[in-house]
Every structure is written in structure tokens, then in C-alpha cells.
């Protein structure tokens, strides 16, 4: 499994949806090549958020993600992964299932979208 090495997440909350306090989850299917780069031609929205603008923001941000590639017997290996992106407004009510985002699991916390509109 590839490991996320990006220190800053590249996802930007669409300003109109941020102003409305709209929230959602987008699950992307990413193809990560043997160098750890996301291949955008093979990236798609696996589970949409219900807001096309959030889905688009997740797709745009995905191109800037960097990974340590998966390895098999020590050799880098291209692979496909599911990558969740959580768009949360700090003043909005939690969505069902949001308790997972407050646990100390690094993966869930690191994939939250920037709240910069």
C-alpha cells in the first residue's frame, strides 16, 4: 500500500459551499505509479459527495498528492487505492459517522480538506 508523504493537503473548500456550511465526503480512486505520483488520467470519483463542486475540488487537489510507492519484494509497484477526502466546516453540525474523524488515527485526520475557501 502506498504511504501518503504530502505534508500539506492540496484540497480547497469551494467558497460558495463553505459559505453555506455544506459538508461532504468524496472517495477517490487513485492510481499511484511506481514513483509515487498520482496518474490523473486514471483518477476518478468512486463515491460522490452529493455536491459536484466538492467532487471537483477533490479531483483537482489529488494531482498534488505525493506518496511513497507500494513495494513488492522491495521493488516499487504501481497500484490503485481508495482515498477519502472529508470536507468539514468548523461551524457546521457533524455528519453521521464523524466520530471517526475525532479519533487519533492519523490517516483520517490528514485527509480532511483545508477550510480555506
Amino acid at each position: 500500500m502506498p504511504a501518503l508523504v504530502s505534508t500539506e493537503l492540496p484540497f480547497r473548500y469551494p467558497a460558495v459551499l463553505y459559505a453555506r456550511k455544506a459538508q461532504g465526503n468524496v472517495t477517490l480512486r487513485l492510481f499511484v505509479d511506481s514513483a509515487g505520483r498520482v496518474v490523473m488520467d486514471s483518477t476518478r470519483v468512486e463515491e460522490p459527495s452529493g455536491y459536484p463542486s466538492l467532487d471537483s475540488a477533490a479531483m483537482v487537489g489529488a494531482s498534488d498528492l505525493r506518496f511513497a510507492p507500494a513495494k513488492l519484494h522491495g521493488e516499487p509497484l504501481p497500484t490503485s487505492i481508495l482515498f477519502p477526502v472529508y470536507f468539514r466546516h468548523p461551524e457546521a453540525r457533524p455528519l453521521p459517522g464523524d466520530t471517526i474523524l475525532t479519533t487519533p488515527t492519523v490517516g483520517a485526520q490528514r485527509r480532511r480538506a483545508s477550510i480555506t475557501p
Side-chain angles (χ1 to χ4, degrees):
M1 174 85 108
L4 183 65
V5 295
S6 296
T7 56
E8 293 291 322
L9 292 180
F11 308 107
R12 299 292 172 245
Y13 219 125
V16 171
L17 293 179
Y18 185 83
R20 290 178 27 206
K21 298 181 184 176
Q23 303 183 103
N25 302 329
V26 182
T27 301
L28 299 176
R29 179 165 297 278
L30 305 178
F31 182 79
V32 180
D33 69 15
S34 60
R37 293 181 302 257
V38 174
V39 178
M40 289 309 296
D41 289 344
S42 299
T43 295
R44 69 173 197 263
V45 174
E46 185 77 12
E47 294 180 29
S49 65
Y51 294 97
S53 295
L54 292 183
D55 301 345
S56 293
M59 287 289 292
V60 168
S63 65
D64 292 326
L65 291 171
R66 294 295 174 261
F67 293 86
K71 293 188 178 187
L72 180 64
H73 306 295
E75 295 295 319
L77 180 72
T79 190
S80 177
I81 62 169
L82 293 177
F83 189 89
V85 181
Y86 307 113
F87 289 92
R88 295 295 181 273
H89 192 286
E91 298 172 5
R93 293 177 48 194
L95 293 177
D98 271 358
T99 55
I100 191 170
L101 297 179
T102 61
T103 63
T105 55
V106 174
Q109 290 294 328
R110 292 184 66 195
R111 292 186 184 133
R112 292 181 77 178
S114 165
I115 58 169
T116 305

